[in-house]
Amino acid sequence: MLKISNIKKVFGHNEVLKDISTDITKGEVVVIIGPSGSGKSTFLRCLNYLELPTSGEINFKGQIIEHNTKEHVLDLYRTKIGMVFQSFNLFPHLTVLENITLAPTQVLKVSKDEAQTRALDLLQSVGLQEKAHAYPRDLSGGQQQRVAIARALAMKPDVMLFDEATSALDPELVGEVLKVMKDLAHTGMTMVVVTHEMGFAREVADRVIFMDKGVIVEQGTPQDVFGNPKEKRTIDFLKKL
Ligand code: ADP
Ligand code: MG
């Protein structure tokens, strides 16, 4: 699905990603862990073309993306990669249903009827069909994040990226969002998830990547990385959790 070859990302003098290469296969759930500032968000932003790598390339289903890829090509591929952030970023003046149907009708030119039918199905899958006509301010953080996931799925993405999607939530609301992510993983969605939720990583990840200071230090199955870490930096990180 995604072939990432030798990507580097430099901000000024700060080399944030140092020669990262990895492949993400269709249906795989990859969890990325690592200390704050290690480049996890920057890596996800490169996968979504919010940032272009300074060097190296990303091959997404045969399309090569690198630092001078044209904007109209990027726009096409951005619609195929959904992203969910720590902050929910719902449009406050739109209802839940309008939030979910906006991009499909405006960007993909899907009819309003079709977009609404699909939005209601998605709301059902995240357990919120009764909130279709509510406004974001009337929802809890966990409910807003579930709407944000439904909104991303409405674009029928090939890959879903999650950047600390539960970090801003009150502890009692984390579980409902993780459950939606777990359900999504079981549908076969390709997912790249940055999270501090090690329980989720153990249970759902096909592969865990430990990043530190812009490099992939170690990766493997959850059993490998959590149960039998090889690198000192991984061991030290896991000890502190
Ligand atoms: P993580 O998500 O692992 O905490 P980030 O990818 O957010 O790490 O950040 C890695 C490093 O890149 C940090 O030192 C951060 O300050 C720097 N950085 C991230 N985005 C930018 C940017 N747009 N401009 C300059 N520096 C940035
Ligand atoms: Mg981050």
Side-chain angles (χ1 to χ4, degrees):
M1 183 73 78
L2 281 162
K3 187 172 178 59
I4 296 125
S5 307
N6 309 103
I7 64 168
K8 288 189 186 172
K9 182 71 189 179
V10 181
F11 293 113
H13 295 292
N14 190 2
E15 198 178 18
V16 173
L17 299 177
K18 301 171 184 162
D19 203 20
I20 298 224
S21 298
T22 189
D23 293 351
I24 292 159
T25 53
K26 193 171 180 329
E28 194 178 21
V29 178
V30 177
V31 168
I32 302 178
I33 61 172
S36 175
S38 56
K40 305 181 299 296
S41 293
T42 304
F43 180 62
L44 281 194
R45 291 168 62 80
C46 284
L47 294 187
N48 194 29
Y49 319 130
L50 289 169
E51 302 280 0
L52 289 180
T54 309
S55 63
E57 62 178 44
I58 298 170
N59 185 327
F60 175 51
K61 295 173 75 182
Q63 170 73 40
I64 290 178
I65 311 283
E66 29 89 56
H67 72 280
N68 55 12
T69 301
K70 296 279 186 297
E71 208 47 40
H72 69 275
V73 175
L74 296 177
D75 280 343
L76 200 65
Y77 281 85
R78 280 186 187 120
T79 66
K80 295 270 129 212
I81 301 196
M83 185 142 176
V84 177
F85 301 89
Q86 188 172 336
S87 52
F88 328 120
N89 300 324
L90 297 178
F91 301 111
H93 59 292
L94 298 181
T95 65
V96 163
L97 196 62
E98 289 164 348
N99 263 281
I100 300 175
T101 56
L102 185 68
T105 53
Q106 303 278 310
V107 179
L108 301 182
K109 310 294 180 199
V110 171
S111 75
K112 203 173 163 195
D113 273 1
E114 192 186 331
Q116 289 196 347
T117 305
R118 176 150 168 81
L120 290 168
D121 280 351
L122 287 166
L123 279 175
Q124 184 163 16
S125 71
V126 301
L128 288 173
Q129 61 276 51
E130 79 286 1
K131 298 291 187 190
H133 301 291
Y135 284 86
R137 63 174 173 274
D138 302 320
L139 304 180
S140 72
Q143 290 171 332
Q144 288 185 54
Q145 194 60 304
R146 283 144 67 195
V147 172
I149 294 171
R151 182 176 63 174
L153 291 172
M155 295 297 279
K156 302 192 176 169
D158 291 315
V159 182
M160 283 283 284
L161 310 177
F162 292 85
D163 194 359
E164 300 199 24
T166 60
S167 294
L169 298 175
D170 290 336
E172 73 272 20
L173 303 178
V174 168
E176 65 191 60
V177 174
L178 291 179
K179 174 170 186 308
V180 165
M181 292 166 65
K182 228 174 270 182
D183 291 347
L184 184 60
H186 290 141
T187 68
M189 176 61 76
T190 309
M191 293 165 62
V192 184
V193 181
V194 172
T195 186
H196 299 294
E197 295 291 334
M198 299 302 152
F200 176 87
R202 277 176 195 277
E203 197 180 328
V204 184
D206 296 306
R207 175 157 53 111
V208 174
I209 291 179
F210 172 65
M211 271 182 75
D212 190 21
K213 300 195 173 80
V215 300
I216 294 178
V217 174
E218 181 161 1
Q219 57 178 318
T221 64
Q223 291 85 341
D224 289 340
V225 174
F226 295 122
N228 187 22
K230 304 249 177 330
E231 300 291 331
K232 179 170 186 310
R233 278 196 270 175
T234 318
I235 295 167
D236 290 345
F237 174 78
L238 292 172
K239 256 192 215 148
K240 286 195 212 112
L241 296 178

